[in-house]
């Protein structure tokens, strides 16, 4: 069994169409079909059932797909490790992070890292589904929120952050230093739409007190939320450290004194993923940055 046979097989599994798989691989369809037959002859079992113009993966094919995925991942890790030994300060790192943190939290972190490792290309991707991105190898590492233990992941805790009520300096509550959760009831709010993680954290907290947020405007952009709050359209509830980073004197943060919503931030990556020297250095810098 040759590595190229596994690549051919995986392409057919992904496309479930020999012609499309052949085009993706840059070979002819007859050549691909012949190579798959060679692999089937070697294994002694069919890998695909051909039903007219459609194909389906057999039980043997499903088993091979599972092991081939692991084998090709391991092979890529070997290549990455060898490349990493050749030159420690090169390569590319892709990072998944919440949109709000990307907008306001990590600019200085990225600048500092680039100055230390100018040959390393950073790709910072905003996402509200970071765990899926990491598990599906769409990113190398993620900075996740309230990550549950998972055998497939390495989880490195960073910090826990409390949420605060944030209002315009023109808001009636602007001079208060603290507020109870009960006092949030009926307060006009500008928030993320339902289903967004930041919204759900706050909703879970107020639900324990028997009510829901009174959301009058919703947007998926934290920049828009803060602009609406500045215009005194409504209040919002956001992580305190995020508001600190925005550093806007026209915004007032009010501590929630009893059972404030909170989130925990963690670095996550797959346990079977090779972690390059550059990625290790970036993880170290993330930890130092959030610790500070």
């Amino acid at each position: 069994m040759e590595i190229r046979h596994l690549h051919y097989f995986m392409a057919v599994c992904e496309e479930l169409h020999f012609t499309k798989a052949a085009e993706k691989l840059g070979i002819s369809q007859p050549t691909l079909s012949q190579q798959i037959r060679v692999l089937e002859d070697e294994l002694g079992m069919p890998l695909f059932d051909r039903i007219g113009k459609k194909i389906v993966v057999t039980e043997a094919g499903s088993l091979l797909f599972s092991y081939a995925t692991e084998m090709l991942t391991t092979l890529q890790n070997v290549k990455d490790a060898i490349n990493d030994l050749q030159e420690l300060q090169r390569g590319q790192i892709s990072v998944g992070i919440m949109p709000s943190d990307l907008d306001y939290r990590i600019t200085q972190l990225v600048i500092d890292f680039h100055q230390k490792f100018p040959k390393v290309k950073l790709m910072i991707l905003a996402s509200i589904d970071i765990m899926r991105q990491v598990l599906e190898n769409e990113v190398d590492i993620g900075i996740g929120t309230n990550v549950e233990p998972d055998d497939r992941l390495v989880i490195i805790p960073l910090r826990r952050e409390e949420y605060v009520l944030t209002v315009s300096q023109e808001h009636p509550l602007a001079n208060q230093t603290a507020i109870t959760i009960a006092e949030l009831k009926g307060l006009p709010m500008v928030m993320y739409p339902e289903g967004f993680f930041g919204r759900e954290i706050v909703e879970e907290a107020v639900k324990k007190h028997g009510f829901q947020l009174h959301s009058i405007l919703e947007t998926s952009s934290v920049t828009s939320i803060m602009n609406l709050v500045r215009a005194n359209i409504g209040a919002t509830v956001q992580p305190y450290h995020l508001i600190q980073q925005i550093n806007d004197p026209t915004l007032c943060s009010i501590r929630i004194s009893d059972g404030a919503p909170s989130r925990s931030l963690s670095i996550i990556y797959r346990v079977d993923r090779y972690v390059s020297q550059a990625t290790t250095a970036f993880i170290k810098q993330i930890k130092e940055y959030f610790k500070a």
Side-chain angles (χ1 to χ4, degrees):
M1 185 184 301
E2 299 180 18
I3 295 298
R4 64 188 175 92
H5 287 145
L6 294 180
H7 283 294
Y8 293 163
F9 166 73
M10 297 293 281
V12 178
C13 286
E14 290 169 3
E15 299 295 336
L16 290 178
H17 195 285
F18 274 86
T19 301
K20 290 181 180 179
E23 291 174 354
K24 180 178 180 180
L25 293 165
I27 62 176
S28 68
Q29 186 271 326
T31 297
L32 177 59
S33 296
Q34 190 270 334
Q35 292 299 315
I36 294 297
R37 281 195 295 271
V38 169
L39 186 57
E40 290 177 325
D41 289 343
E42 181 177 350
L43 295 173
M45 295 192 75
L47 300 173
F48 301 100
D49 281 331
R50 297 157 179 83
I51 306 172
K53 293 184 178 181
K54 295 183 179 180
I55 62 171
V56 295
V57 182
T58 64
E59 185 175 354
S62 296
L63 190 60
L64 178 61
F65 182 86
S66 176
Y67 281 101
T69 300
E70 293 182 15
M71 292 166 65
L72 294 176
T73 298
T74 300
L75 178 61
Q76 186 60 50
N77 285 342
V78 171
K79 291 179 179 179
D80 290 343
I82 292 174
N83 287 336
D84 204 31
L85 285 173
Q86 292 173 341
E87 188 177 346
L88 297 181
Q89 295 188 355
R90 72 175 186 183
Q92 176 174 298
I93 307 171
S94 56
V95 185
I97 190 168
M98 296 286 285
S100 58
D101 295 314
L102 175 57
D103 287 346
Y104 291 108
R105 299 290 297 277
I106 69 164
T107 301
Q108 191 59 50
L109 169 64
V110 172
I111 292 171
D112 293 344
F113 185 80
H114 177 71
Q115 290 174 343
K116 289 182 181 179
F117 301 93
K119 296 180 182 179
V120 177
K121 179 181 178 180
L122 274 179
M123 295 178 60
I124 314 295
L125 306 175
S127 174
I128 60 172
D129 197 3
I130 295 168
M131 180 177 287
R132 181 196 61 77
Q133 281 189 316
V134 171
L135 291 174
E136 295 184 6
N137 287 312
E138 292 180 9
V139 295
D140 298 314
I141 63 174
I143 300 178
T145 303
N146 292 7
V147 180
E148 297 291 334
D150 191 307
D151 291 340
R152 299 168 294 176
L153 295 174
V154 174
I155 302 173
I156 305 173
L158 290 173
R159 70 155 67 152
R160 178 169 290 277
E161 299 183 338
E162 285 196 351
Y163 281 62
V164 294
L165 179 69
T166 302
V167 300
S168 161
Q169 61 183 359
E170 305 299 326
H171 194 278
L173 298 175
N175 293 324
Q176 289 193 212
T177 57
I179 192 172
T180 65
I181 284 188
E183 290 177 279
L184 299 180
K185 185 176 182 179
L187 194 64
M189 290 281 185
V190 181
M191 297 294 294
Y192 298 115
E194 290 185 4
F196 275 62
F197 206 82
R199 171 72 175 271
E200 295 305 312
I201 288 174
V202 183
E203 289 286 6
E204 283 296 319
V206 301
K207 184 179 179 181
K208 294 176 183 177
H209 291 257
F211 66 95
Q212 291 181 308
L213 294 177
H214 176 42
S215 175
I216 59 169
L217 272 173
E218 298 180 355
T219 171
S220 60
S221 165
V222 68
T223 302
S224 295
I225 289 176
M226 302 319 299
N227 285 337
L228 291 165
V229 172
R230 287 186 188 96
N232 203 21
I233 301 300
T236 191
V237 180
Q238 300 290 337
Y240 174 62
H241 288 88
L242 174 64
I243 304 302
Q244 271 190 318
Q245 289 293 120
I246 294 173
N247 192 27
D248 186 338
T250 68
L251 297 174
C252 302
S253 296
I254 304 168
R255 185 172 62 88
I256 300 172
S257 60
D258 56 335
S262 67
R263 67 174 185 172
S264 61
L265 297 178
S266 304
I267 300 168
I268 58 174
Y269 57 89
R270 286 182 60 109
V271 295
D272 60 355
R273 190 175 191 95
Y274 174 72
V275 181
S276 69
Q277 295 288 337
T279 303
T280 300
F282 190 57
I283 289 173
K284 179 180 178 182
Q285 191 152 332
I286 293 172
K287 291 164 68 176
E288 292 173 351
Y289 180 77
F290 278 92
K291 184 179 180 180

